[in-house]
Amino acid sequence: MKRLGIAVAISILATVLQLPVPVQAVEPSPAPTPASTTMTESQKAAALQAAAANPLAALISVPFQFNANYDVGPYHQFGYTLNVQPVVPVPIGDKMTMIFRTVVPIAYVPELNKSPLIGNVVGLGSINPQLYFISSKAGSLTIGPGVTFLLPTSTNPLVGPNKWAAGPDIAVVATTSTTLMGFIANNLWSFAGSPSHLNINNFFIQPFYVKNFAHGVGLTIQSQTTANWNAPGNQKWTVPVFLGISQLQKAGRQPLSVSGGIGYNAVRPSGTASWFARFQITLLYPTAKPQ
């Protein structure tokens, strides 16, 4: 199973690398600067790809992110997570925009012990809404403070805690004509929920760097670092390093971004996956108007 998973991940990444150049890319809505009507199709594709990678862009998008995790648990098995992450910008008057992002995880957790009562688990995890507030006239540096929540939607304790949690979050994005860099950070504290589940005090930070090339191609380096402040000693931190490549495409008239890559958890608690592969398809709606 492990060898099969590695082969699938390599095949997916190879497919992404060989995708054809898109035709008639759609010009994005402001993110935050409108694209020029005199832009070439290649420049429009690059602009839309840059907007797709920007967590604070004024762009409706629906990412479907599949993560394959290797070497999970004491038996070094294979686990999966599908994150559906719709992003909707909502104008608030003429001067402010609220970026509404929701992470809906669906996870497969392999058998963690040989008990006949606990086998493989598939279920819905804890849904995580995130709100960021930005200036509608932001320039090359955009700062979006906000708030994030965790909802008790988990169908099994192994795929997420049944706790209500909330905390502050912030996104900072700096852009140039060819690069995008910044970070997303938050901390969640539980305040209600099942007393049988452990309390939550979790930190998250996602620094990222994106280099955009012609024809809607992008190279991404990022880390989705987490810290469980309630965990003992050296079990607190998970620090992954991820390298990925993306390509703007069209399915009929629907623009989308296809990406894939490989990551390694350089620091991790016991039982956490060592390597992971990621494949993502993001549906883009650059001309859609938020309601």
Side-chain angles (χ1 to χ4, degrees):
M1 176 63 75
K2 183 176 180 181
R3 290 182 179 177
L4 177 60
I6 294 173
V8 170
I10 293 174
S11 176
I12 288 171
L13 184 56
T15 301
V16 172
L17 289 171
Q18 295 174 6
L19 285 172
V21 173
V23 178
Q24 296 182 343
V26 180
E27 182 178 349
S29 59
T33 303
S36 170
T37 56
T38 62
M39 293 172 66
T40 66
E41 295 302 325
S42 175
Q43 289 172 328
K44 291 178 182 180
L48 183 54
Q49 179 67 4
N54 186 346
L56 296 180
L59 174 75
I60 295 177
S61 62
V62 184
F64 295 85
Q65 183 189 95
F66 176 78
N67 296 277
N69 303 306
Y70 305 97
D71 205 23
V72 178
Y75 306 113
H76 310 287
Q77 299 187 78
F78 203 46
Y80 307 90
T81 303
L82 172 65
N83 292 323
V84 184
Q85 304 174 153
V87 180
V88 180
V90 180
I92 303 176
D94 296 329
K95 297 183 179 180
M96 183 173 291
T97 298
M98 180 183 72
I99 307 296
F100 181 47
R101 178 173 183 257
T102 304
V103 180
V104 182
I106 301 170
Y108 165 82
V109 180
E111 185 178 32
L112 299 180
N113 59 51
K114 294 300 183 181
S115 168
L117 300 178
I118 304 177
N120 301 330
V121 174
V122 178
L124 175 67
S126 302
I127 295 176
N128 178 209
Q130 304 166 14
L131 305 178
Y132 303 94
F133 298 89
I134 64 172
S135 169
S136 298
K137 298 181 179 180
S140 60
L141 177 64
T142 306
I143 300 175
V147 62
T148 183
F149 303 92
L150 199 66
L151 309 182
T153 56
S154 171
T155 57
N156 189 288
L158 293 178
V159 297
N162 260 322
K163 288 283 192 178
W164 291 92
D169 65 7
I170 187 170
V172 177
V173 179
T175 60
T176 70
S177 59
T178 59
T179 63
L180 182 79
M181 66 185 74
F183 67 89
I184 297 172
N186 63 58
N187 202 97
L188 282 163
W189 291 271
S190 57
F191 58 88
S194 173
S196 63
H197 288 218
L198 296 176
N199 289 329
I200 296 171
N201 182 3
N202 293 346
F203 172 72
F204 170 85
I205 184 167
Q206 179 184 332
F208 57 86
Y209 174 84
V210 181
K211 175 68 173 179
N212 294 306
F213 301 93
H215 308 297
V217 177
L219 181 68
T220 299
I221 302 173
Q222 70 173 22
S223 175
Q224 294 176 317
T225 296
T226 60
N228 177 3
W229 302 121
N230 293 331
N234 61 0
Q235 302 297 297
K236 286 182 170 62
W237 289 92
T238 303
V239 183
V241 179
F242 174 79
L243 177 64
I245 189 167
S246 57
Q247 168 72 68
L248 188 70
Q249 291 289 297
K250 292 193 73 177
R253 300 180 61 85
Q254 174 65 57
L256 52 87
S257 175
V258 181
S259 63
I262 300 293
Y264 176 69
N265 286 317
V267 178
R268 59 188 183 276
S270 300
T272 301
S274 54
W275 291 89
F276 62 94
R278 178 174 298 158
F279 177 66
Q280 180 169 309
I281 296 177
T282 303
L283 305 180
L284 305 172
Y285 300 92
T287 58
K289 301 297 183 183
Q291 300 300 315

